[in-house]
Amino acid sequence: MQKIIIIKYAELNTKKGNINLFLRTLKQNIEKILADEKITISYDKGRMVITLLNDNYEQILEKLQNVFGIHEIAIAYDLKNNDLEVIEKSLNELLKNKEFQTFKVVSKRSNKNYFLNSQELNKHLGGYILKNFSNKKVDVLNPNLTINVEIRKTTAFIYFEKLKGLGGYPTNTLGKGLLMLSGGIDSPVAGFMAQKRGVKIEAIYFESPPHTSDMAKEKVISLASKLAIYQGNIKIHVIPFTKIQETIYKNVPNNYLITIMRRMMYKIAEKIAKKNRCQIIINGECLGQVASQTLESLNVINEVVKMPVIRPVACFDKLEIIEIAKKINTYETSILPYQDCCTIFVPDHPIIYPTLDKCLEYEKNFDYDVLINESVKNETIIDTSKKEENYNDYL
Ligand code: ATP
Ligand code: MG
């Protein structure tokens, strides 16, 4: 019996046309995340099988739980044979030291020519266990132990426990998106959700030194690094935003500061996205959460871009967003108290129902094209894979 890891990818089955691309990418992503391990990967009929050449199961399982496109993970035994007597003998061996009172057998066949069907196998193997192990009972609803038996073409697998995978589609099967990443709670969660659909992300961060600190930037780098786990590394475009913000402050009525500032952010984001072949902008806006997220605000802000803007958390409650942030381990970093450029120059009464006419009128007060081009030209790029020592200091 060889110990193996079985990987199931349920949702991929719906992707008939692209299945080969998806499987190839999933395999590459697994190989990448397990680059330091001694393994081989093969796949057939709805399953990927990892054979380990050492005994590093715990570590490998942990890493696999960070791979999108995996629905379920099981540590299994490959019997290298699907004869019924071999299955019985193996069950005998495996159940000998297991503690359980009640059980059920769940059989599956990918080899439909096998001489027993799944029902017959369940019945036969259940009977075999009852006969060979005393004091055990069948309980199909709530068993202590579920015994999974999978009949493959030339072999059979047995396993007892399944771990839930991350689900979604393998990263890098759907092109690139640009995540507007602030230091807050929402945008990292938005990024994670886009990654889950197979989008590889780059990030854009607007900084306004000296009003915003290096600590705020390091916080963003640390958040990006947490998302980088799912795709290897993340490129962060850091955009100097001080001059634009100060100019807006001098030239725009107080209640429109935030609206115009956001319009400028989006204009820059679209330019950076196009330059880097990102096809969508991803943003952490949430309907109704603040003044700039009313439907009127979203309309006049969104008006400056043609590119699709995806807002994965738009319809979530804050508590639901926080729950995901905790799961993906970004929450503790997000709540560190460094000022973001959105929290400086905040007016007492930002407009809740801005109009496009007013925005266009106020934007005539300054030459934003020149400022935007200057900001884009002066971007700095940080790659999470090259920043490790520094950002860790701030965690
Ligand atoms: P978050 O918790 O993600 O900061 P928020 O609830 O604080 O969101 P806002 O500050 O209004 O909301 O920002 C809305 C979205 O705009 C953010 O989720 C993010 O996508 C983007 N954003 C805001 N500030 C920045 C910034 N400095 N750099 C990049 N993107 C930003
Ligand atoms: Mg914010």
Side-chain angles (χ1 to χ4, degrees), residues 180 182 184-187 204 206 262 284 289 293 340-342:
M180 294 173 71
S182 64
I185 297 169
D186 305 335
S187 45
I204 184 168
F206 299 91
R262 299 219 148 262
Q289 205 184 71
Q293 294 166 7
D340 175 46
C341 70
C342 293

Side-chain angles (χ1 to χ4, degrees), residues 163-226:
L163 294 174
K164 220 165 140 21
L166 270 187
Y169 292 140
T171 303
N172 221 0
T173 45
L174 208 64
K176 265 195 306 185
L178 183 66
L179 170 67
M180 294 173 71
L181 184 61
S182 64
I185 297 169
D186 305 335
S187 45
V189 172
F192 171 80
M193 290 177 74
Q195 286 177 303
K196 184 168 182 177
R197 303 316 298 164
V199 178
K200 185 169 182 180
I201 57 174
E202 294 193 8
I204 184 168
Y205 169 62
F206 299 91
E207 66 165 355
S208 294
H211 313 294
T212 61
S213 66
D214 267 356
M215 301 289 267
K217 180 160 70 184
E218 294 297 335
K219 181 177 161 184
V220 168
I221 297 168
S222 144
L223 289 170
S225 306
K226 290 179 192 280

Side-chain angles (χ1 to χ4, degrees), residues 275-287:
K275 222 168 112 183
N276 293 278
R277 277 174 280 123
C278 296
Q279 300 185 73
I280 54 169
I281 294 170
I282 303 145
N283 186 294
E285 281 161 342
C286 183
L287 294 187

Side-chain angles (χ1 to χ4, degrees), residues 138-151:
V138 172
D139 181 348
V140 287
L141 290 180
N142 202 11
N144 302 145
L145 187 69
T146 301
I147 302 163
N148 298 281
V149 179
E150 291 195 4
I151 307 288

Side-chain angles (χ1 to χ4, degrees), residues 69-121:
I70 296 181
H71 176 71
E72 245 174 32
I73 308 164
I75 291 193
Y77 298 88
D78 182 351
L79 312 190
K80 306 274 187 195
N81 188 319
N82 62 19
D83 290 349
L84 198 54
E85 303 84 68
V86 174
I87 298 173
E88 289 171 354
K89 228 173 100 203
S90 308
L91 278 175
N92 226 340
E93 191 65 25
L94 291 170
L95 295 178
K96 215 163 48 189
N97 301 319
K98 279 216 174 288
E99 297 228 349
F100 64 102
Q101 298 304 316
T102 58
F103 74 96
K104 76 170 168 182
V105 179
V106 179
S107 305
K108 286 199 185 85
R109 303 179 308 164
S110 71
N111 172 4
K112 299 291 177 203
N113 296 324
Y114 198 71
F115 77 103
L116 295 177
N117 68 26
S118 304
Q119 288 293 337
E120 290 163 344
L121 263 169

